[in-house]
Every structure is written in structure tokens, then in C-alpha cells.
Amino acid sequence: MAAAETPSAGTGFDLDGATFAIAGRTLLQPIATSFRPGRVVGLIGHNGSGKSTLVKLLARQETATGGSIRLDGRPVDQWAARAFAREVAYLPQHPPLATGLKVKELVALGRYPWHGALGRFSKADANAVVEAMALTDVEPFAERLADELSGGERQRVWLAMLVAQQAKWLLLDEPTSALDIAHQIEVLGLVRTLSQTRGLGVVVVLHDVNMAARFCDDIVALHGGRLIARGGPKDVIAPDRLEQIYGVAMDVMAHPETNALLAFAR
């Protein structure tokens, strides 16, 4: 099946002293770090630590009040809106209502950056939608109304829309916060598979450190708006690090079968 054109790979996001303050309150202290294509990076930390603020800055939903953020070497505020949307797809913590839209219509909205509001929906667009629905396994829901689906099904549909967008970055703000454990595993497993098979860069805000350890290549930990730890799961999911991040004593053990790290409060 022919797919629509996908943007070529770039160098990713680079932050140099990026910070964000509003109404005299600094929500994100100066951060210098980078995010590279083809990896799943989990953002963890206590409530109010700056996780959502950071992902919103990357997605241009907010503008840094200090420092700089670059995508593929170009300041994010210098990208045209449609050009940026061809590179970066963003799913907020609370997606907008999709009242009256069938699943296939919602997924098709992901093609907007490629043809605009008045552009003709081409065969390449149609192929991209079909491919995205197949990859996310939402084909059985194609004719159903999106707002009638369960939480897990609806999250898969939103991910299908982002896949149809054919951006090379997925920025996801707490995509599993309202899901049960089975659907959390399903959604994060899908995100990881998409990253591995399509070379997508993913930055995902997560509350569950065990899900981060299981599905993420790298973990970035924030506390009080500061980046206090970054590394692979074995570097960050450690008792001393977790106590620094969350302020409670925690222990870590390896799963007896998968060897995945499991953290729990003492």
C-alpha cells in the first residue's frame, strides 16, 4: 500500500536554558537537554513538577519565557504552523470533544497539515488514514461515533489521528491518566511499537514510574520545575533517585520473568 510522504529525519529538539514563568511564578527552571528521533522518552515527577509545561513548550502550546528551543536546528517559533505540524504531533491531556464525528472522520483530520482546510483530500491522504487505522487497530470502529467509544478505544483513535498526521514526533501529555491498567499497557505498547517501526521520536508525560520503566528508552525526571535526573530506566528507577524525585522512600526490584524494574513505596 502506498503511503503519503513522510518528512525526512532531523536532529530533534535542543533546549538551551529554556524556562517558563507566568504571573511572577516560575513553572520551569532553565533546562538544557535534547530529545533525539527514534526514542521514547518518559517525563516523570510529582504533580506540578513541570512535566506538562515542558511538553507544551516542545509542542508550541506555550512559549518559553527564557532560553531557546530548537527543532532540527531552527528555533521552534520560526517554523510556519503547517510546516511544524508536519514534524510534530501533540496530544493534550484532555483532547477536545469529537461530538458527531465518526472515527474515520476524526482520524482523517490528521491529514490537515498536508493539504490545508481547502485542499483536496488526495489518494495519498486516504492511504495514510487507512494505514494509520490499521496500525492502531481501530478499523472495526471506523463507522462508529468517536464519543461513543470507551476510554481506551478513544485514545487509540486519537493516536491513529496523530499517526495519520505522519509527523516524526509524538508529544503525549498523560495519555494513560484515565485508563485502567490493561488499556495503559495497550496504549503505551502501541506507542513504543510505532517508535520502533517508524523511527518516531516520542516524549510522553507519565505518572506511573513502572510504566515508564517498562516502555521508555530514556526517562527525564523533574522536581519543582527543575530537571534533576535523566538516563535509562536503570539509571533513574533507583531508590535514591526516586526518593529525590517524589520525596518518599521507595524500593526497586526486578520482575521475576521480564526483568523489568518495579518500584514501590516502603
Side-chain angles (χ1 to χ4, degrees):
M1 178 188 301
E5 181 184 356
T6 302
S8 58
T11 58
F13 286 97
D14 290 287
L15 292 80
D16 184 7
T19 186
F20 182 74
I22 187 171
R25 181 184 173 204
T26 300
L27 301 181
L28 199 67
Q29 301 290 339
I31 286 180
T33 193
S34 60
F35 299 96
R36 296 296 176 235
R39 300 185 69 78
V40 179
V41 181
L43 303 183
I44 67 170
H46 61 85
N47 289 342
S49 62
K51 303 183 301 295
S52 291
T53 299
L54 177 53
V55 82
K56 286 177 181 177
L57 292 180
L58 296 175
R60 297 204 319 182
Q61 300 300 302
E62 300 283 3
T63 302
T65 53
S68 67
I69 302 176
R70 295 176 177 270
L71 173 62
D72 297 346
R74 187 193 312 175
V76 292
D77 59 0
Q78 292 184 12
W79 285 79
R82 280 180 58 191
F84 189 79
R86 291 180 179 183
E87 302 290 315
V88 178
Y90 168 66
L91 183 63
Q93 183 178 351
H94 302 291
L97 296 176
T99 305
L101 284 178
K102 291 183 178 180
V103 164
K104 64 181 183 182
E105 295 170 335
L106 179 57
V107 177
L109 292 179
R111 297 305 299 163
Y112 170 78
W114 296 95
H115 59 67
L118 302 178
R120 182 178 177 182
F121 198 80
S122 68
K123 183 177 180 180
D125 292 317
N127 286 342
V129 171
V130 169
E131 181 184 40
M133 293 180 67
L135 284 169
T136 53
D137 195 26
V138 299
E139 293 166 302
F141 316 139
E143 298 297 331
R144 292 179 59 184
L145 292 175
D147 56 5
E148 293 179 353
L149 300 177
S150 70
E153 292 168 343
R154 198 159 50 245
Q155 283 296 78
R156 292 217 318 267
V157 172
W158 281 107
L159 283 173
M161 187 192 78
L162 267 59
V163 173
Q165 191 172 328
Q166 291 190 318
K168 63 174 183 277
W169 283 93
L170 299 182
L171 306 180
L172 311 174
D173 191 355
E174 297 189 34
T176 61
S177 61
L179 304 182
D180 59 34
I181 292 176
H183 283 116
Q184 289 181 42
I185 292 172
E186 181 181 81
V187 167
L188 292 176
L190 171 60
V191 168
R192 183 164 179 81
T193 297
L194 290 171
S195 176
Q196 292 175 334
T197 59
R198 300 175 68 110
L200 301 182
V202 179
V203 180
V204 54
V205 176
L206 294 171
H207 274 295
D208 191 326
V209 295
N210 292 325
M211 290 296 178
R214 179 172 177 175
F215 292 104
C216 296
D217 299 304
D218 301 301
I219 297 175
V220 169
L222 299 172
H223 183 90
R226 290 180 170 85
L227 194 160
I228 61 171
R230 176 165 187 168
K234 291 183 179 180
D235 300 314
V236 180
I237 308 302
D240 57 339
R241 285 291 196 186
L242 292 174
E243 184 170 3
Q244 183 185 16
I245 295 165
Y246 293 106
V248 296
M250 300 184 73
D251 285 319
V252 177
M253 64 176 288
H255 189 283
E257 295 182 4
T258 66
N259 211 36
L261 296 176
L262 299 172
F264 53 94
R266 292 178 188 170

